[in-house]
Amino acid sequence: MIQELLTHWMTPCPRPIRRLGYLHDMIAVRARHRRCRDAWAPHLAATRERVAAAVDATPGRDLAVVLGAGLLLDVPLDALAAAFRRVVLVDVCWLGETRRAVRRFGNVDLLDHDVTGLAAACRGVASIPAVPRGSIPYLRDADLVCSLNCLSQLPLNPRLALESLPDVSADRLDRFSRAIVAAHVEALADAPGLALLVTDTTANRVLKSTGDALSRDLLFGHPHLDGGDTWWWDIAPAPEEDRRYDLRHKVVAGVV
Ligand SMILES: C[S@@+](CC[C@H](N)C(=O)[O-])C[C@H]1O[C@@H](n2cnc3c(N)ncnc32)[C@H](O)[C@@H]1O
């Protein structure tokens, strides 16, 4: 806990990003990964394998862009750096350990960038802002773009920042969230190069006592990728979130 607080204080992070909770979330993901390392391993390996397969399937060797690179848990950085002249890792902020981890690669850059283009617009506003087109750096130039386990996260902090606005219904927030998801997928679909999407789509809370599952769509009604590979991510096995149930996310990976 103290280590997490220290990381929060010491990590440089643009103020709107910090205020919206992104840095807090990244530190929480690091802590949960440490607690659930074994449970997460198959999901992280499956993601890395899909990225490696996408690298093999990409004819160009100039530029690869990775969106939501975060802690690099699911990023096969050695393979990417070996295959491409340049690799750009994109996220809203970075922990010190990630900055240190990429230093050994002369051709890997970290880019602080909000792919929704919305984060800064969601604080101190009087109404729900319009959702802009998804903002993917170097989209036109990249041979390969990988969106790695970030799609379902994109609406969460903007939505939270808007929840306390007067006269904002859950329904309107759901439509706003769905539009953010759609904007990202549409931007990926616009990529002239190969675009790989790996995302969780469904959360299942599976009761230990009966095996019954309570299911929730993580993409707010946006259609799930058709025909991709799917697997389950044991994201919070009991008692991580609750001793009564395991939380599992269904993941899909495929070319957009
Ligand atoms: C579940 S984590 C995936 C982490 C990452 N792929 C890894 O291996 O550590 C989701 C990531 O999406 C990033 N993210 C969330 N909203 C974002 C946004 N608007 N723009 C860019 N990245 C965002 C988070 O900061 C986080 O690192």
Side-chain angles (χ1 to χ4, degrees), residues 4-137:
E4 286 159 29
L5 278 174
L6 277 176
T7 308
H8 201 261
W9 285 332
M10 312 274 292
T11 304
C13 177
R15 188 174 290 197
I17 295 300
R18 184 186 290 271
R19 283 195 173 154
L20 255 75
Y22 291 99
L23 177 58
H24 168 275
D25 294 350
M26 194 176 272
I27 295 167
V29 168
R30 181 181 69 174
R32 180 173 276 189
H33 172 248
R34 286 178 179 165
R35 292 190 300 271
C36 303
R37 188 180 295 269
D38 292 345
W40 285 25
H43 158 69
L44 298 176
T47 304
R48 286 192 296 262
E49 276 165 26
R50 293 330 181 272
V51 177
V55 170
D56 290 343
T58 302
R61 284 288 176 246
D62 192 50
L63 175 64
V65 175
V66 178
L67 310 170
L71 305 165
L72 310 180
L73 300 172
D74 53 20
V75 181
L77 196 52
D78 288 286
L80 284 160
F84 292 93
R85 183 185 65 80
R86 185 177 178 218
V87 178
V88 178
L89 305 175
V90 179
D91 209 299
V92 282
C93 58
W94 305 99
L95 299 190
E97 65 214 51
T98 313
R99 291 186 186 282
R100 286 190 290 279
V102 301
R103 263 186 220 143
R104 69 189 173 95
F105 299 97
N107 61 340
V108 177
D109 294 320
L110 298 180
L111 179 66
D112 307 16
H113 181 82
D114 162 25
V115 298
T116 68
L118 261 175
C122 283
R123 267 186 70 93
V125 286
S127 59
I128 296 183
V131 173
R133 289 171 62 81
S135 169
I136 300 184

Side-chain angles (χ1 to χ4, degrees), residues 50-254:
R50 293 330 181 272
V51 177
V55 170
D56 290 343
T58 302
R61 284 288 176 246
D62 192 50
L63 175 64
V65 175
V66 178
L67 310 170
L71 305 165
L72 310 180
L73 300 172
D74 53 20
V75 181
L77 196 52
D78 288 286
L80 284 160
F84 292 93
R85 183 185 65 80
R86 185 177 178 218
V87 178
V88 178
L89 305 175
V90 179
D91 209 299
V92 282
C93 58
W94 305 99
L95 299 190
E97 65 214 51
T98 313
R99 291 186 186 282
R100 286 190 290 279
V102 301
R103 263 186 220 143
R104 69 189 173 95
F105 299 97
N107 61 340
V108 177
D109 294 320
L110 298 180
L111 179 66
D112 307 16
H113 181 82
D114 162 25
V115 298
T116 68
L118 261 175
C122 283
R123 267 186 70 93
V125 286
S127 59
I128 296 183
V131 173
R133 289 171 62 81
S135 169
I136 300 184
Y138 305 108
L139 183 74
R140 295 273 134 225
D141 302 323
D143 299 293
L144 173 65
V145 179
C146 300
S147 171
L148 296 189
N149 293 302
C150 67
L151 179 66
S152 65
Q153 305 296 300
L154 301 183
L156 301 185
N157 286 328
R159 181 188 174 110
L160 211 58
L162 300 168
E163 259 173 11
S164 55
L165 287 178
D167 303 325
V168 168
S169 64
D171 191 45
R172 279 188 66 200
L173 286 170
D174 282 350
R175 272 185 273 135
F176 171 75
S177 304
R178 182 182 163 134
I180 294 175
V181 169
H184 188 68
V185 176
E186 282 159 20
L188 284 174
D190 251 5
L194 193 146
L196 172 74
L197 172 64
V198 183
T199 180
D200 45 4
T201 58
T202 312
N204 270 10
R205 287 181 168 78
V206 186
L207 267 182
K208 305 289 285 177
S209 52
T210 63
D212 290 338
L214 191 67
S215 214
R216 187 169 66 84
D217 181 20
L218 295 170
L219 301 186
F220 300 93
H222 187 272
H224 298 175
L225 196 65
D226 244 358
D229 298 334
T230 60
W231 63 86
W232 287 95
W233 174 9
D234 285 311
I235 188 166
E240 173 66 19
E241 188 178 88
D242 192 299
R243 66 184 166 71
R244 289 165 299 178
Y245 60 77
D246 297 320
L247 174 60
R248 314 185 76 204
H249 284 188
K250 189 174 186 181
V251 178
V252 65

